[in-house]
Amino acid sequence: MLFVFVFANVLAQTQPAPTVYALVTTQKVLPGNIVEYEKMMKENWVPVHQLRKKNGKITNWALYKVHFAGAAEEYNYVAVSYYESFIKTEPNDNFPELMKAANPKADAAAILARMKDIRTIQRQFVYNRLDVTTPKAGAPATKFVIIDFMQSKEGMAGEYAKLESDVWKPVHQAFVDGDKKNGWAFWERVVPGGTGSNHNYVTANVYSSYAQLGSQDYEAFFKKAHPGKDIQAVSTQTGKARETVRRELWELILTL
């Protein structure tokens, strides 16, 4: 999801942007297990992903808490592993061995067994980053990400992707330059896919604080990015090319 996909460091790279793939794993943790789950992720799983990064498997990893995810929601946490190529996303990690190596003084088997008890892995998606804004030097650390799941209209995928890169990216760059967000990225869903999918693209808007979420004057920053253009006409054109099927607010709680 993306999503998705930190998006803290990985979404904000200097240009030209390197290739980035993201494996997004959605997870469900019951309220009574949240404290233990976050503690285990910090103490036992962060060292595992640090080892994966050291071994060249991943370029980064992050864990997000999904806000406003009630009991009926499918997931309330999202783990994201970032890769420099699609080949690296192959699911060939030996996690029992990695857990032993990363936690030599702990009972690796017990950690893995307990994790299965307190959290459920719901789904996994692989995304490819298509475009990204340039970060502003000295920006505060990322804290929140707005994830928009998009479905292009039939036969309109190419036009929609072009609108995001050619029209909307400069607007998001104006937000970044004006200290109103940390970054923006545009991702394409790679697998799983097909006609039954509920989305094929994801955008991620990255913020350093909750206060920034309420300071999104798109009309003003659209004028800065495209003097003389009509935002309503472009918005109508975008709406004809894609549908926003879901929006989520993620909070970054762990990263390498």
Side-chain angles (χ1 to χ4, degrees), residues 168-222:
W168 292 110
K169 176 184 173 179
V171 177
H172 296 296
Q173 188 65 58
F175 275 104
V176 173
D177 296 341
D179 298 316
K180 296 302 182 181
K181 66 176 65 172
N182 278 18
W184 164 93
F186 181 44
W187 299 77
E188 180 181 22
R189 177 170 161 176
V190 180
V191 289
T195 56
S197 302
N198 64 354
H199 73 280
N200 56 352
Y201 294 97
V202 167
T203 61
N205 285 279
V206 186
Y207 304 91
S208 60
S209 68
Y210 209 87
Q212 277 190 337
L213 297 173
S215 61
Q216 302 303 292
D217 187 347
Y218 269 86
E219 186 169 356
F221 284 95
F222 187 92

Side-chain angles (χ1 to χ4, degrees), residues 43-44 47-48 96-111:
E43 295 180 357
N44 302 122
V48 168
E97 292 301 318
L98 286 167
M99 184 64 71
K100 290 179 184 178
N103 299 271
K105 296 182 180 181
D107 186 339
I111 294 171

Side-chain angles (χ1 to χ4, degrees), residues 5 28 91 146 162 217 256:
F5 91 46
K28 182 72 172 183
I146 291 286
K162 184 173 175 59
D217 187 347
L256 302 184

Side-chain angles (χ1 to χ4, degrees), residues 10-228:
V10 177
L11 290 193
Q13 301 281 354
T14 56
Q15 298 296 338
T19 299
V20 177
Y21 283 85
L23 172 63
V24 175
T25 302
T26 62
Q27 306 178 33
K28 182 72 172 183
V29 182
L30 295 179
N33 296 327
I34 283 177
V35 173
E36 182 181 5
Y37 168 76
E38 291 190 7
K39 183 174 185 291
M40 290 183 68
M41 293 299 290
K42 181 177 181 179
E43 295 180 357
N44 302 122
W45 281 99
V46 166
V48 168
H49 296 300
Q50 287 174 331
L51 184 56
R52 296 175 72 212
K53 183 175 181 178
K54 181 180 178 181
N55 292 341
K57 175 67 173 179
I58 62 174
T59 59
N60 207 346
W61 173 88
L63 181 68
Y64 299 89
K65 178 184 290 186
V66 182
H67 281 230
F68 311 111
E73 297 294 339
E74 183 182 67
Y75 56 90
N76 54 351
Y77 286 86
V78 179
V80 185
S81 291
Y82 299 94
Y83 305 83
E84 63 187 1
S85 68
F86 179 73
I87 293 173
K88 291 285 185 75
T89 69
E90 182 180 359
N92 56 4
D93 294 279
N94 188 330
F95 283 107
E97 292 301 318
L98 286 167
M99 184 64 71
K100 290 179 184 178
N103 299 271
K105 296 182 180 181
D107 186 339
I111 294 171
L112 292 169
R114 182 56 183 158
M115 185 57 72
K116 287 183 179 179
D117 290 338
I118 66 175
R119 70 98 193 265
T120 301
I121 292 178
Q122 301 289 60
R123 301 188 188 194
Q124 289 189 314
F125 305 90
V126 174
Y127 297 90
N128 175 33
R129 193 180 66 184
L130 299 179
D131 216 334
V132 63
T133 52
T134 301
K136 185 175 182 180
T142 287
K143 185 64 175 177
F144 297 99
V145 184
I146 291 286
I147 302 292
D148 286 308
F149 298 88
M150 309 291 196
Q151 179 64 46
S152 61
K153 303 290 182 66
E154 185 175 357
M156 301 288 283
E159 179 174 344
Y160 167 57
K162 184 173 175 59
L163 282 166
E164 286 286 7
S165 290
D166 293 353
V167 180
W168 292 110
K169 176 184 173 179
V171 177
H172 296 296
Q173 188 65 58
F175 275 104
V176 173
D177 296 341
D179 298 316
K180 296 302 182 181
K181 66 176 65 172
N182 278 18
W184 164 93
F186 181 44
W187 299 77
E188 180 181 22
R189 177 170 161 176
V190 180
V191 289
T195 56
S197 302
N198 64 354
H199 73 280
N200 56 352
Y201 294 97
V202 167
T203 61
N205 285 279
V206 186
Y207 304 91
S208 60
S209 68
Y210 209 87
Q212 277 190 337
L213 297 173
S215 61
Q216 302 303 292
D217 187 347
Y218 269 86
E219 186 169 356
F221 284 95
F222 187 92
K223 289 180 180 178
K224 288 185 178 182
H226 304 292

